[in-house]
Amino acid sequence: MSTKPPSLTERRKAATQLDIARAAAELFTEHGPDGTTAEDIALRAGVALRTFYRYFRSKQDAVAPLLAGGADRWRESLAAAGPGSAVPTALERSIAEALSAPDEEAAEGLRWTRGLLRAAAEDPALRAVWYRVNQESEERLRAVVADLAGPGADPLEVRLTAAAATDAIRVALEAWAETDAPVRGEGAPAELAVRCLRELMGGMRLLGPASGE
């Protein structure tokens, strides 16, 4: 799938949104959502309050770009596998790579996610943002899976595969956030997500042996 590169204005907008998201995550980790206001987030991010509300509807909504960033990179990695790739193999490889935390920036992103998921346990609005991010990712993933599976794939199986892969990552991150397991190695998100995906694979032809290598 080819996409038009983002314009300079779009890149600046995305950078501002990510700055605000990081500021919100820091404050939620330090003070919790209840102890944080939109004004606090804007001040920490170095933007005007009107700029905050130009991009986000609420303080909880501000962390969405941070939570969605990993999913965006994962879908790009999966799409790079190309049509005709074995779907189970491509999914496992891309999930493992996306959650492997190969550098400190990626590791930090996972730690932010852990902090936000822990905060979400006590904040329904923050949980709603997390579920929305996952739903949006699943919807975008369908087109990627359809391209990998080819024109003869059953649309229902494509949809189920996108749901299974998205839920594998979601459940893995939620389970990991409840522990103090490291970002790499045993009990880390990459290991847990691949395990979750394999547990969900068995009942779907698109993810079963018939489509394997």
Side-chain angles (χ1 to χ4, degrees):
M1 294 185 300
S2 59
T3 56
K4 182 179 178 181
S7 67
L8 178 60
T9 299
E10 289 170 334
R11 291 197 301 272
R12 285 175 174 168
K13 176 182 176 180
T16 299
Q17 289 175 318
L18 192 55
D19 285 343
I20 295 171
R22 285 175 176 148
E26 289 174 0
L27 288 165
F28 288 170
T29 301
E30 293 169 10
H31 307 294
D34 287 344
T36 301
T37 65
E39 289 86 350
D40 295 332
I41 297 170
L43 183 62
R44 177 71 65 92
V47 300
L49 185 59
R50 66 179 178 275
T51 300
F52 175 93
Y53 281 116
R54 184 183 308 148
Y55 295 129
F56 302 109
R57 294 169 295 179
S58 68
K59 60 185 180 182
Q60 288 91 348
D61 193 45
V63 301
L66 198 59
L67 293 172
D72 292 341
R73 291 188 292 273
W74 167 48
R75 288 194 306 275
E76 289 172 5
S77 173
L78 182 61
S85 301
V87 176
T89 302
L91 280 171
E92 281 199 23
R93 184 179 295 128
S94 64
I95 287 173
E97 288 176 355
L99 296 175
S100 64
D103 52 42
E104 187 52 35
E105 181 180 356
E108 182 184 40
L110 285 174
R111 294 187 193 104
W112 283 127
T113 299
R114 170 183 263 161
L116 289 171
L117 289 178
R118 287 179 173 179
E122 304 297 329
D123 190 287
L126 192 53
R127 284 201 302 278
V129 172
W130 170 241
Y131 293 142
R132 190 191 80 222
V133 165
N134 278 273
Q135 179 62 36
E136 291 172 351
S137 179
E138 178 186 323
E139 290 169 359
R140 295 186 180 107
L141 184 60
R142 290 177 198 164
V144 179
V145 173
D147 279 355
L148 290 178
D154 182 343
L156 181 59
E157 294 240 351
V158 168
R159 186 167 185 164
L160 284 169
T161 298
T166 302
D167 278 349
I169 293 179
R170 178 184 61 81
V171 171
L173 286 170
E174 290 173 353
W176 174 73
E178 294 173 355
T179 74
D180 293 319
V183 296
R184 305 179 185 93
E186 186 176 354
E191 181 193 57
L192 292 174
V194 169
R195 178 184 169 191
C196 288
L197 181 66
R198 288 173 178 171
E199 292 289 341
L200 292 168
M201 274 181 167
M204 284 180 279
R205 287 173 296 173
L206 191 56
L207 289 177
S211 63
E213 293 180 326

